[in-house]
Amino acid sequence: MWPAHTGRRQPPWDSGCTLGAALSTTANHHTRTRTRPPRMNHRPDTAAETSANHLLPPCLLTLSDGQKIRVRSTVPADYAAISQLIQDNFSRSENYAELSAAARTAYLEANSLSGVREVCEHQDNVVSLVAIAEATKSTVGFALYRRSRHLLTGEEVAEGKRLQVSLAHKSKGLGNQLLTVVRHLLRSQGFTKVVGYTSGASFSLFEQGFQ
């Protein structure tokens, strides 16, 4: 559960961030915490307008090995690198060899450049973040959440759609810190419940991030 609010909450990173614009994965329904639907006074009419709303000022994270990671809102110039990150992770995942050729093809198509563009420009996205390594300027993380409805209760919730951390940056705290930024942004928009459709090893990371 999220802790109760006790006054003004400070962002838990090096430089100040305020609001967000859109996270990952795929299949089993899972929920955490109580809920109250957020009040949104303005609903964007276009994908371009959505991507311009709730932009996150860049914030700097420090990993356990000292690496600095810059987190900011995604922009169209990030789509190719995000697609490459997801496909690289997929090709080296533990269950890759167990999937059928059709399943592999479907996943790769969903996370192609056009697939990433489609998911990042959805009008219901509320948080969309990319993590960039300061030293190499490479894309090492991606998180996207979308306004949705609970499958059972119909309540308005934030749904995790994408969560990716490069294999070279796993077990260094990037996933947890990225989810801390996500939680802050969702709270700032009034969300108090999240749902996830996740599978594989990413499920435990997603679950840990919203306890």
Side-chain angles (χ1 to χ4, degrees):
M1 270 213 185
W2 291 342
H5 286 265
T6 55
R8 190 177 184 85
R9 192 180 289 274
Q10 294 299 317
W13 43 77
D14 294 349
S15 57
C17 303
T18 50
L19 240 82
L23 176 343
S24 158
T25 60
T26 30
N28 286 326
H29 193 90
H30 187 76
T31 61
R32 287 270 164 190
T33 79
R34 298 184 303 273
T35 184
R36 182 180 62 229
R39 296 183 179 180
M40 309 298 285
N41 295 324
H42 171 68
R43 191 176 187 83
D45 295 324
T46 67
E49 188 180 358
T50 300
S51 63
N53 275 338
H54 310 311
L55 292 181
L56 172 74
C59 48
L60 194 62
L61 307 180
T62 303
L63 304 189
S64 60
D65 63 356
Q67 287 189 71
K68 299 293 185 180
I69 305 295
R70 185 77 56 180
V71 176
R72 58 170 172 75
S73 294
T74 58
V75 295
D78 297 318
Y79 296 167
I82 291 171
S83 174
Q84 189 64 56
L85 169 66
I86 295 173
Q87 296 197 36
D88 285 348
N89 282 352
F90 178 61
S91 67
R92 292 186 283 173
S93 65
E94 295 178 357
N95 63 343
Y96 180 83
E98 301 172 4
L99 298 175
S100 66
R104 293 178 191 173
T105 299
Y107 186 92
L108 293 174
E109 288 180 353
N111 292 287
S112 64
L113 177 58
S114 61
V116 168
R117 179 182 296 109
E118 181 179 356
V119 76
C120 286
E121 295 183 353
H122 195 283
Q123 66 175 2
D124 288 327
N125 289 346
V126 292
V127 174
S128 182
L129 304 176
V130 65
I132 309 291
E134 286 282 275
T136 63
K137 306 305 179 187
S138 57
T139 298
V140 298
F142 173 54
L144 188 144
Y145 276 78
R146 185 174 294 168
R147 182 184 298 104
S148 185
R149 293 284 175 182
H150 194 284
L151 290 180
L152 300 178
T153 67
E155 302 166 280
E156 190 166 39
V157 295
E159 177 189 341
K161 300 298 292 184
R162 295 288 189 279
L163 175 58
Q164 295 286 333
V165 172
S166 76
L167 296 182
H169 289 77
K170 294 216 170 188
S171 302
K172 297 180 180 179
L174 176 55
N176 287 335
Q177 291 190 65
L178 187 58
L179 285 175
T180 295
V181 178
V182 168
R183 290 198 304 272
H184 177 83
L185 298 177
L186 292 177
R187 289 190 187 108
S188 73
Q189 296 179 66
F191 289 98
T192 56
K193 177 176 279 188
V194 297
V195 299
Y197 299 88
T198 69
S199 61
S202 61
F203 181 80
S204 61
L205 178 61
F206 180 88
E207 182 181 46
Q208 179 181 356
F210 289 94
Q211 287 177 343

